């Protein structure tokens, strides 16, 4: 049985590591507030990144973020 976090990670993986927050709501049949709370917890743990685009958010699985979404204070680890 998948946890809610696992389900969200699986969805993001299926969609290439990113998707709209509204699409997560649609795919899971959870309420907007439930999805927002779950994504906030995942973001606090560093599992995902959310980027506001217009009136919605794009959700990125950790490691799939575009360069412009990263903090200028993060250090590159090469």
């Amino acid at each position: 049985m998948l946890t809610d976090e696992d389900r969200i990670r699986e969805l993001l993986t299926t969609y290439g590591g990113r998707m709209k927050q509204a699409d997560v709501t649609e795919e899971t049949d959870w309420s907007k507030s439930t999805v927002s709370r779950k994504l906030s917890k995942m973001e606090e743990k560093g599992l995902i990144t959310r980027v506001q685009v217009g009136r919605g958010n794009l959700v990125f699985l950790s490691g799939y973020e575009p360069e412009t979404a990263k903090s200028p204070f993060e250090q590159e680890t090469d």
Side-chain angles (χ1 to χ4, degrees):
M1 181 105 180
L2 293 176
T3 66
D4 293 343
E5 285 184 4
D6 289 338
R7 189 170 174 198
I8 292 170
R9 271 192 293 234
E10 192 174 84
L11 267 176
L12 288 166
T13 301
T14 300
Y15 286 92
R18 68 172 186 232
M19 63 191 301
K20 293 179 184 176
Q21 184 169 326
D23 292 339
V24 174
T25 303
E26 199 173 298
E27 291 279 341
T28 59
D29 289 325
W30 296 328
S31 70
K32 289 179 185 179
S33 60
T34 297
V35 169
S36 182
R37 280 193 309 273
K38 290 181 187 303
L39 292 177
S40 290
K41 287 180 183 177
M42 290 179 75
E43 196 167 26
E44 287 173 10
K45 293 178 183 179
L47 301 173
I48 62 152
T49 302
R50 285 190 285 183
V51 177
Q52 187 169 0
V53 177
R55 295 179 65 194
N57 289 323
L58 281 178
V59 182
F60 295 91
L61 198 54
S62 183
Y64 288 84
E65 305 93 344
E67 285 298 315
T68 56
K70 294 182 182 173
S71 168
F73 304 107
E74 288 181 27
Q75 292 185 354
E76 291 288 323
T77 53
D78 288 343

